[in-house]
Amino acid sequence: MTASVPNTATHAEMANAIRFLSMDAIEKAKSGHPGMPMGMADVATVLFTRFMKFDAKSPKWADRDRFVLSAGHGSMLLYALGYLTGYDDLDIEQIKNFRQLGYRTAGHPEFGHVSNADTTTGPLGQGITNAVGFALAEAMQAARYGAGIANHYTYVIAGDGCLMEGISQEAITLAGHLKLNKMIVLWDDNHICIDGDTALSTSDDQCARFAAAGWATTKIDGHDPEQIASAIEAARNADKPTLIACRTVIGKGAPNKCGSEKVHGAPLGADEIKAARDAANWPYEPFVIPDHVLAAWRAAGSRGAVERQAWEGRLSTLAAAVKAEFSRTQEGRLPDGWQAAVQAFKAKISAEQPKVATRKASQDALEVLTAAIPEMIGGSADLTHSNLTNTKACAPSIAAGAYAGRYIHYGIREHGMAAVMNGLALHGGFIPYGGTFLIFANYLWPALRMSALMEQRVLYVLTHDSIGLGEDGPTHQPIETIAALRATPNTLVFRPADAVETMEAYEVALLNHKGPSCFALSRQNLPTLRTTHTSDNLTAKGAYVLVEADGKRQVTLLATGSEVSLALEARKLLAAKGVQAAVVSMPCWELFDRQSKEYRAEVLGEGCVRVAVEALTTFGWERYVGLDGAVIGMTGYGASAPADKLYAHFGITADAVADAALARL
């Protein structure tokens, strides 16, 4: 007689499905972190079966709850949940090939690889900070479209490592200040890190820390499903973000290794997995989930379809223009006609020829763009009046309980700002830009790197771009920073020479859906160099001949930003000595490198001397000037003095450029 298949599954069975999929996949890969998925299996089971609003068959539904596995090393938790709940791109073959080349189940969850990864996590602290961006985006959309269209929670599973990283403080203080009450953090409070007990390195009272930052906090047994459910329910009704400290046993279910660092970052081994199966009365072969358990999980994955359909009905009743605007912004499409505003701005600049710092040119461009593109959201890391990132269209500023504005005061939290902007971009509906000094890109670079890795359209406004910032001195003069940004894959770095190039750089950045853009902008005033209007975006080519030689070209002078004007002066000095030189403005190396070989050769000039000038590190310019060329720039740190004194002191002058060219003829 064949035994009947039970039509229900217990909580323990459903949690054990996560545990054994995680154990088996990590064992087969001989690589991974089983402890966290096993320890947080009970919390995840309660969250996904009782609370999470999602539909596995419609993974990008705009009003779904967001789930961030900030402790990304425990990626098998996310992959197991995806398979069990029925995401199409996470079948059992993906689970069996965890961490293998060509499969979506990477060592840390990656956005765009699996559809249930709302963000890429792995670098600890990034996920919890992305989540602030998700929660803020939800609040902003609710203010614009109403709770019938935007009404979802952001849940985070974070570990001790996430909370130890400094960026977490930036995240929790900003979330608490803004009262983002739909952000709920489930802390895997297992007292274990890779080195051993967390007491080796920390004695923080995390609940007190979060409470001081304006959060609600509670402590629970992370293996008691009813305590878990009660805590989540209370958090959903709180008027502030909530931390739930889930006291757990790392590697729960592994009878001999649980509770220690031995289960943190290494496979359990065949003997321990067999012992775990015996202890849990789990007689199934590796990667086999019994039918009744899988059916219960699949039901959890599909129950959100009813809510999704109701939401689609509400969306359909919106006024046609409002519905179209929501859909357009959610899909990342720019509004019709915005480029006409770009052309009008360029024509006006070429006609009026103002002498302004490119940070001011950036503000002028942003005034035009934010008026034309309502999804642009501005901000600054407490440098608004230096970065000049505020515009009339972005007023008023966002504040706790008031989320209809378009400007965010991030405070002195550069790293947090960048990671929050990633969350805003990933959520959908917004294009974030945020400002700080270029030197402090060093503070936010890990999050900028994630913008690039995830191919997110995030705009970094980085002012005070060279020794030209002057008296603040070498601590603030970003000698090497732009080289690091240029070395970052999938990142566009613009250093415009005037207001026309500045607007063109923004146009390129907004059209770029596949990565971040950085704008290195001057403190000092620069003349307008593009005095004849052209509808072509010359900056989009990365480099172009600004002024050609009067006769046969003997010298090519290459420059970016404020030094393009200096190169033009050097050209005059060379002409006085009978030497014909062309000046090439090179606002974006990355775009120039994408051009055809023929175009690059035409711009750089073949068979002539090449001299580059930039008031930053000389590193990298050799690829353009060649072994016989020269680079005028910085080989050490700067000094405190007015800008003109610094340029003369460090030999970054028109005379030095001309002399370098003459010495090589």
Side-chain angles (χ1 to χ4, degrees):
M1 185 176 190
T2 303
S4 61
V5 176
N7 58 13
T8 59
T10 66
H11 166 85
E13 288 177 311
M14 296 181 76
N16 280 336
I18 295 173
R19 291 189 176 102
F20 285 102
L21 281 175
S22 299
M23 287 185 228
D24 292 338
I26 291 166
E27 182 66 22
K28 184 173 184 289
K30 301 300 181 188
S31 174
H33 298 73
M36 196 283 281
M38 295 170 69
M40 287 297 280
D42 292 303
V43 172
T45 298
V46 171
L47 176 63
F48 274 78
T49 61
R50 302 197 200 182
F51 294 100
M52 275 286 293
K53 181 175 70 171
F54 73 108
D55 180 358
K57 299 303 181 186
S58 184
K60 296 307 178 185
W61 167 30
D63 197 37
R64 71 191 184 280
D65 288 341
R66 303 309 199 267
F67 174 67
V68 178
L69 184 65
S70 191
H73 56 274
S75 59
M76 265 311 305
L77 176 68
L78 186 73
Y79 301 145
L81 286 165
Y83 166 66
L84 292 168
T85 55
Y87 283 79
D88 290 338
D89 58 354
L90 275 168
D91 58 26
I92 197 64
E93 289 304 309
Q94 293 292 332
I95 303 299
K96 289 179 178 179
N97 287 281
F98 174 60
R99 289 192 165 203
Q100 302 308 301
L101 185 64
Y103 289 85
R104 291 185 284 274
T105 44
H108 296 89
E110 293 189 41
F111 175 79
H113 285 208
V114 291
S115 56
N116 69 332
D118 284 318
T119 182
T120 298
T121 54
L124 295 175
Q126 292 291 327
I128 190 174
T129 318
N130 293 162
V132 178
F134 284 123
L136 180 56
E138 188 276 340
M140 291 162 60
Q141 279 197 331
R144 287 157 177 74
Y145 299 102
I149 301 302
N151 185 18
H152 51 271
Y153 290 85
T154 300
Y155 296 99
V156 183
I157 285 181
D160 288 296
C162 296
L163 303 190
M164 287 189 211
E165 289 286 359
I167 190 176
S168 70
Q169 186 64 24
E170 300 183 25
I172 68 173
T173 56
L174 186 59
H177 175 71
L178 293 175
K179 296 188 183 302
L180 299 177
N181 63 306
K182 289 186 177 179
M183 180 174 173
I184 300 171
V185 174
L186 300 147
W187 170 33
D188 181 16
D189 180 18
N190 61 32
H191 293 203
I192 296 294
C193 56
I194 289 176
D195 281 354
D197 194 297
T198 53
L200 291 168
S201 57
T202 185
S203 53
D204 295 357
D205 182 338
Q206 293 291 2
C207 286
R209 175 189 174 215
F210 275 74
W215 288 56
T217 67
T218 188
K219 297 180 180 181
I220 64 168
D221 178 348
H223 300 302
D224 182 328
E226 297 314 313
Q227 282 193 38
I228 298 166
S230 294
I232 294 174
E233 185 61 43
R236 286 165 59 91
N237 291 295
D239 62 356
K240 58 184 70 173
T242 298
L243 171 74
I244 303 174
C246 307
R247 186 69 178 94
T248 61
V249 177
I250 190 170
K252 182 175 175 58
N256 303 304
K257 294 185 177 181
C258 69
S260 81
E261 68 274 15
K262 293 178 182 178
V263 297
H264 188 291
L268 297 181
D271 292 344
E272 185 70 0
I273 292 176
K274 181 180 184 304
R277 278 185 155 80
D278 292 343
N281 191 26
W282 189 265
Y284 312 105
E285 293 296 314
F287 303 106
V288 173
I289 304 299
D291 290 345
H292 70 289
V293 175
L294 188 58
W297 269 114
R298 293 291 161 88
S302 62
R303 64 184 171 81
V306 173
E307 287 189 84
R308 175 181 57 77
Q309 290 162 3
W311 176 84
E312 289 171 346
R314 294 192 296 274
L315 184 66
S316 69
T317 64
L318 292 178
V322 176
K323 178 184 174 183
E325 184 73 353
F326 178 83
S327 299
R328 180 188 67 76
T329 56
Q330 197 66 29
E331 293 166 11
R333 292 182 286 108
L334 294 166
D336 293 338
W338 72 278
Q339 286 175 293
V342 170
Q343 292 296 335
F345 178 90
K346 287 173 55 180
K348 183 173 184 289
I349 293 297
S350 293
E352 296 179 358
Q353 301 176 24
K355 185 175 184 179
V356 296
T358 50
R359 62 171 176 158
K360 181 61 172 73
S362 167
Q363 183 181 43
D364 294 342
L366 287 169
E367 285 282 6
V368 170
L369 294 169
T370 55
I373 305 173
E375 61 268 33
M376 288 184 72
I377 304 297
S380 174
D382 198 53
L383 288 166
T384 293
H385 301 295
S386 291
N387 301 149
L388 304 180
T389 43
N390 55 330
T391 69
K392 295 181 182 67
C394 284
S397 298
I398 288 166
Y403 306 111
R406 293 170 54 191
Y407 195 80
I408 303 167
H409 291 281
Y410 287 102
I412 306 166
R413 306 181 180 99
E414 293 90 353
H415 197 181
M417 174 180 72
V420 168
M421 289 198 295
N422 283 340
L424 290 170
L426 288 160
H427 178 278
F430 302 104
I431 302 172
Y433 71 89
T436 187
F437 289 173
L438 177 58
I439 190 65
F440 300 132
N442 296 319
Y443 282 13
L444 61 77
W445 184 79
L448 186 152
R449 183 177 185 273
M450 300 305 288
S451 306
L453 186 63
M454 294 187 286
E455 300 184 344
Q456 292 303 297
R457 182 170 48 180
V458 178
L459 278 54
Y460 293 90
V461 181
L462 306 172
T463 68
H464 296 61
D465 70 338
S466 73
I467 62 168
L469 67 87
E471 293 86 347
D472 274 345
T475 60
H476 284 50
Q477 291 164 8
I479 304 304
E480 77 288 2
T481 310
I482 202 165
L485 294 176
R486 286 168 174 162
T488 305
N490 199 40
T491 301
L492 298 180
V493 182
F494 297 95
R495 190 165 183 253
D498 68 0
V500 175
E501 283 192 358
T502 302
M503 175 57 94
E504 289 184 338
Y506 274 110
E507 182 179 25
V508 175
L510 288 164
L511 291 170
N512 176 30
H513 292 260
K514 293 295 184 180
S517 298
C518 302
F519 305 87
L521 305 168
S522 74
R523 180 193 183 198
Q524 70 271 40
N525 290 338
L526 305 178
T528 299
L529 304 180
R530 295 269 296 278
T531 56
T532 301
H533 173 64
T534 174
S535 60
D536 291 343
N537 187 322
L538 301 182
T539 299
K541 295 181 181 295
Y544 61 94
V545 178
L546 177 64
V547 180
E548 187 53 272
D550 289 332
K552 182 181 179 182
R553 190 194 302 189
Q554 297 169 271
V555 175
T556 302
L557 303 178
L558 310 170
T560 72
S562 46
E563 286 68 70
V564 177
S565 299
L566 190 151
L568 288 169
E569 293 177 29
R571 179 181 180 273
K572 292 179 182 178
L573 294 174
L574 289 170
K577 294 182 180 295
V579 175
Q580 302 304 316
V583 173
V584 171
S585 180
M586 243 181 137
C588 184
W589 290 12
E590 298 79 21
L591 291 174
F592 183 62
D593 290 345
R594 296 178 189 176
Q595 305 307 310
S596 69
K597 179 180 178 181
E598 292 75 18
Y599 177 79
R600 285 180 283 137
E602 178 185 351
V603 169
L604 295 176
E606 295 184 312
C608 61
V609 169
R610 299 175 191 169
V611 179
V613 55
E614 190 173 53
L616 298 164
T617 179
T618 60
F619 180 81
W621 276 105
E622 59 275 2
R623 67 198 291 189
Y624 302 116
V625 301
L627 296 177
D628 298 325
V631 184
I632 307 300
M634 298 292 293
T635 56
Y637 294 106
S640 297
D644 58 341
K645 302 294 185 183
L646 291 172
Y647 274 80
H649 175 74
F650 288 108
I652 304 175
T653 64
D655 284 330
V657 173
D659 288 346
L662 291 170
R664 285 161 177 77
L665 285 173

